[in-house]
Amino acid sequence: MKSVIEIKELTKKYGDLTAVNRLTLSIREGEFFGLLGPNGAGKTTLISMLCTLLEPTSGSATVNGAHVVSESDKVRQSIGVVFQDPSLDELLTARENLEFHGRMYGMNEEEILKKSDDVLDLVELSEQSHRQVKTFSGGMRRRLEIARGLMHTPKVLFLDEPTIGLDLQTRNHIWKYLLKLKEKHKMTIVLTTHYMEEAERTCDRIAIIDRSKLVVLGTPSDLKKSIQGNVVRIKTKNGKKELAKKLERVRGVTYVDIYEEGIAVSVTHGSSFQQILKIVSLKKFAVESIETHEPTLDDVFIHYTGKEMRKDEPYSDAKLAWKAGVR
Amino acid sequence: MMKEFRGIRAIWRRELIRYSRERSRILTSIASPLLWLVVFSSGFSAFTIGSGVEYQTFLFPGILGMTILFSSLFFGVSVVWDRQFGFLKETLVAPISRISIFFGKALGGSTIGMIQGTIFLFLGGLFGIGLSIPNVLLVLPILFLISLIIVSTGLFIGSHMESFEGFNLVMTFFTLPMFFLSGALFPLNNLPAFLLPLTYINPLAFGVDALRALLIGTSQYSLGMNILVLLAFASLTIYAGAWAFKRQK
Ligand SMILES: Nc1ncnc2c1ncn2[C@@H]1O[C@H](COP(=O)(O)OP(=O)(O)OP(=O)(O)O)[C@@H](O)[C@H]1O
Ligand SMILES: [Mg+2]
């Protein structure tokens, strides 16, 4: 398949800090591509470079055949972005924000009217469309930003944590709509998210980035297969290192990953559960819980980054982001 | 080309909508020059300037120029504002050239400057400034031109600033000297000789002089000369502003 984004040895440094480190990646046309990684991994920095807002320190990238530095005007012809941070005009009404966007992207007034009705409907803001954005709640603003991103139909759509802070129902609506768009227009979508189920359900391929580097790339099912066997998760705070050492020696154990809240062990068939249980039940480890399951993307994430994805509390982060923006 | 034009218009429109929603901005920009006018002209009403023009009358075009100076230069803060609120990103990733973004903003700011000047001009009726229709029609483009120069300067400064504090600091360095060396308050030939050269690089001096030529019929330079100089200043500041936007990230 043709690739629409080509990234070669792309690097961005902020002073001494390397936010993106010699990243090489190609994203295919019509693909739903997920960028996952813990906070500060460099996802937003990468997207900023791809949408020409940030100049790379070294390396190169092309979007739809145009170089992001030397042909930035051409790149902007083919992209759409939903930013992680707030980017609405609060004095304008919801509809005025959409109209502004449509006009900037060369849509005619008739198209603008029709499309804004559509997207407002999608994010359930039709009733509030005449209200100034400054009267909106955090979630409403986020929905409006997504709606705005969907106003025009770009070749490549970047979504930087688009659904953070939104309720499940709205999220589902949006994903359905995006999948339809992708089918209909062969649109390429590049997504960062902290919701694993979302990534698993929607993405054709996923790249996990950790500490500025690409650590693994593949389809969700390939990634899960890379964790051989089943996963045993042991929650504990005490003596994680010692416990890990002991578990590593058990027959049939392929990986032992230490992460913030405990230890994840992957076990193949025929491994000795009895031995694992024996080790785990030693008093000194004060194990809080133990469970076993088939590998999920969460396990993949822990395996490659040593961190668990934030799961249920991202809403508070969204609220914080809005506060920072409002001041 | 058409696309660029529509983009410019969209940005221009947004600035006007924002202006119409910020009542306080409209009020202060009219109330403060009125205050100046009242205080100054009542304090100095006994003075007449040169050819028998009353000070109050002399002052009016000066304060008109000041209105435009303050509001237009301060318009540059909108870039800082847009950056802080993240809206700048929305404009910068759009398929519109940076130069068009600059023009949209500059035209928006100048239109606002012109509107404020016009409102003030009508209030001037109360001060007995002879407002004949042809005069007003001529004054409008001059107001726009002065605004354009100053707005471009403001945008140039704004696009180099990360914070409001920084912007305000730089602003004070510009506004006061520009104002006092513009001839708004007293005829420039009353200035000490060593300050005189500074008035030659002050676009507002020519702006105020042009307004005087039109509104009260006395001026230092001819109207045509003033307009030529203003046009030269406009090309310079527009060029600088557009350049600053081009390297905007
Ligand atoms: N303007 C900046 N100046 C200096 N450092 C920066 C700047 N922007 C980002 N960084 C740093 O670069 C690194 C990568 O940041 P980035 O925003 O790309 O992370 P991210 O993967 O998007 O994280 P998150 O999941 O929290 O959004 C972080 O360590 C961050 O502190
Ligand atoms: Mg980010």
Side-chain angles (χ1 to χ4, degrees):
Chain A
M1 222 189 290
K2 216 173 91 190
S3 78
V4 69
I5 297 179
E6 282 286 353
I7 302 166
K8 281 205 191 82
E9 298 276 307
L10 198 66
T11 301
K12 178 70 196 181
K13 289 188 175 144
Y14 294 110
D16 305 335
L17 189 142
T18 307
V20 172
N21 195 359
R22 304 185 57 184
L23 201 118
T24 299
L25 181 66
S26 87
I27 296 176
R28 299 170 190 149
E29 186 170 20
E31 181 169 50
F32 211 130
F33 193 90
L35 282 172
L36 306 186
N39 290 142
K43 305 175 299 283
T44 300
T45 306
L46 174 60
I47 289 187
S48 303
M49 287 191 279
L50 294 178
C51 62
T52 77
L53 284 180
L54 202 59
E55 238 173 73
T57 310
S58 64
S60 73
T62 60
V63 175
N64 201 19
H67 194 277
V68 293
V69 179
S70 57
E71 299 168 295
S72 55
D73 280 339
K74 239 172 112 191
V75 171
R76 287 196 287 269
Q77 308 276 351
S78 45
I79 61 171
V81 195
V82 173
F83 298 101
Q84 180 175 11
D85 300 326
S87 61
L88 295 166
D89 187 331
E90 308 208 335
L91 283 183
L92 299 191
T93 65
R95 192 178 281 279
E96 283 164 350
N97 268 289
L98 299 181
E99 284 169 352
F100 178 85
H101 186 91
R103 290 178 188 136
M104 291 295 278
Y105 284 80
M107 295 165 69
N108 66 43
E109 296 300 312
E110 198 184 329
E111 270 179 294
I112 290 175
L113 188 68
K114 200 172 147 281
K115 203 65 198 270
S116 36
D117 282 341
D118 266 12
V119 292
L120 282 168
D121 198 41
L122 170 74
V123 298
E124 289 168 38
L125 284 176
S126 307
E127 309 255 296
Q128 291 90 346
S129 66
H130 59 280
R131 264 169 56 184
Q132 271 174 277
V133 172
K134 67 178 180 193
T135 68
F136 278 18
S137 72
M140 288 161 79
R141 286 164 198 237
R142 197 61 190 148
R143 267 144 55 196
L144 181 60
E145 285 183 319
I146 296 174
R148 185 177 67 180
L150 300 175
M151 274 293 285
H152 70 298
T153 315
K155 184 98 186 132
V156 182
L157 180 62
F158 294 99
L159 303 168
D160 200 352
E161 306 202 17
T163 51
I164 202 154
L166 300 186
D167 55 54
L168 198 65
Q169 194 193 346
T170 318
R171 267 154 59 191
N172 285 339
H173 276 328
I174 290 167
W175 292 123
K176 237 191 243 155
Y177 190 87
L178 280 172
L179 286 170
K180 230 168 46 194
L181 268 186
K182 186 196 111 161
E183 292 302 311
K184 197 165 149 198
H185 300 283
K186 271 177 86 186
M187 194 192 265
T188 308
I189 300 175
V190 180
L191 163 82
T192 79
T193 179
H194 279 280
Y195 297 108
M196 283 291 137
E197 339 79 71
E198 227 167 62
E200 180 157 5
R201 205 147 33 91
T202 53
C203 294
D204 299 316
R205 284 195 308 157
I206 285 173
I208 293 181
I209 298 179
D210 189 27
R211 273 164 277 169
S212 78
K213 287 199 154 161
L214 176 71
V215 283
V216 68
L217 168 70
T219 64
S221 71
D222 282 348
L223 291 182
K224 283 188 289 187
K225 268 184 222 143
S226 73
I227 307 273
Q228 297 152 25
N230 278 358
V231 175
V232 180
R233 284 225 209 155
I234 303 157
K235 290 222 160 146
T236 177
K237 292 190 183 77
N238 298 342
K240 279 195 275 191
K241 276 212 182 108
E242 195 191 338
L243 179 56
K245 260 201 199 119
K246 279 198 181 338
L247 290 169
E248 260 165 13
R249 278 186 239 123
V250 175
R251 179 171 47 85
V253 166
T254 45
Y255 299 114
V256 179
D257 295 315
I258 300 180
Y259 67 105
E260 277 151 11
E261 289 173 32
I263 289 180
V265 185
S266 65
V267 290
T268 46
H269 290 298
S271 55
S272 173
F273 259 103
Q274 219 151 32
Q275 217 177 332
I276 292 177
L277 285 175
K278 219 155 121 197
I279 297 169
V280 164
S281 49
L282 287 173
K283 247 210 183 102
K284 62 176 169 185
F285 295 124
V287 167
E288 290 165 21
S289 73
I290 173 166
E291 50 132 347
T292 172
H293 53 247
E294 294 200 343
T296 62
L297 267 191
D298 254 325
D299 299 309
V300 175
F301 197 82
I302 288 175
H303 178 59
Y304 288 104
T305 70
K307 295 199 182 71
E308 192 167 18
M309 265 291 181
R310 292 179 284 143
K311 256 181 298 186
D312 293 314
E313 87 287 42
Y315 191 60
S316 56
D317 287 287
K319 273 208 281 213
L320 276 181
W322 287 117
K323 272 205 191 115
V326 171
R327 201 174 316 269
Chain B
M1 202 55 221
M2 198 55 207
K3 252 183 153 177
E4 300 286 328
F5 178 72
R6 291 177 45 106
I8 293 174
R9 205 176 57 180
I11 295 169
W12 173 79
R13 212 151 138 174
R14 163 179 181 250
E15 297 300 341
L16 289 187
I17 296 176
R18 286 181 67 88
Y19 175 65
S20 71
R21 302 232 163 109
E22 285 178 304
R23 294 281 148 72
S24 60
R25 202 163 129 200
I26 307 177
L27 273 179
T28 45
S29 62
I30 290 162
S32 83
L34 269 183
L35 212 62
W36 273 78
L37 205 56
V38 170
V39 169
F40 265 86
S41 60
S42 61
F44 297 90
S45 55
F47 290 85
T48 55
I49 303 274
S51 51
V53 183
E54 266 187 51
Y55 186 60
Q56 206 182 51
T57 316
F58 173 82
L59 198 58
F60 185 80
I63 301 296
L64 180 56
M66 183 200 80
T67 311
I68 304 231
L69 170 70
F70 286 1
S71 85
S72 298
L73 205 52
F74 194 70
F75 182 79
V77 84
S78 70
V79 188
V80 184
W81 201 258
D82 282 354
R83 182 178 295 121
Q84 295 252 340
F85 276 77
F87 193 80
L88 191 67
K89 282 183 293 189
E90 154 80 355
T91 13
L92 291 184
V93 294
I96 296 289
S97 72
R98 301 280 145 98
I99 293 175
S100 297
I101 297 178
F102 169 78
F103 271 108
K105 278 210 153 285
L107 293 177
S110 326
T111 310
I112 293 169
M114 188 178 71
I115 293 173
Q116 288 190 331
T118 313
I119 298 174
F120 188 67
L121 205 56
F122 280 105
L123 293 174
L126 304 173
F127 285 79
I129 305 298
L131 284 181
S132 57
I133 298 298
N135 269 6
V136 174
L137 288 185
L138 272 173
V139 168
L140 290 188
I142 301 288
L143 289 178
F144 187 82
L145 189 57
I146 302 171
S147 268
L148 186 59
I149 295 167
I150 298 171
V151 163
S152 302
T153 313
L155 289 174
F156 176 83
I157 299 168
S159 62
H160 286 91
M161 295 291 147
E162 295 282 329
S163 69
F164 298 109
E165 291 77 14
F167 184 84
N168 285 335
L169 192 70
V170 176
M171 238 9 34
T172 5
F173 279 113
F174 272 82
T175 41
L176 294 181
M178 266 176 106
F179 177 48
F180 286 115
L181 297 175
S182 69
L185 297 179
F186 45 82
L188 283 177
N189 43 30
N190 291 4
L191 272 178
F194 74 97
L195 282 177
L196 225 45
L198 284 179
T199 65
Y200 302 147
I201 54 164
N202 182 1
L204 192 64
F206 298 93
V208 168
D209 203 49
L211 291 175
R212 284 213 173 99
L214 275 169
L215 290 172
I216 60 177
T218 66
S219 62
Q220 193 159 6
Y221 310 109
S222 72
L223 181 60
M225 161 85 174
N226 279 323
I227 291 177
L228 272 180
V229 175
L230 286 176
L231 285 174
F233 270 115
S235 354
L236 192 76
T237 51
I238 287 173
Y239 186 83
W243 172 80
F245 265 60
K246 215 168 162 182
R247 39 186 294 283
Q248 179 104 233
K249 282 286 154 187

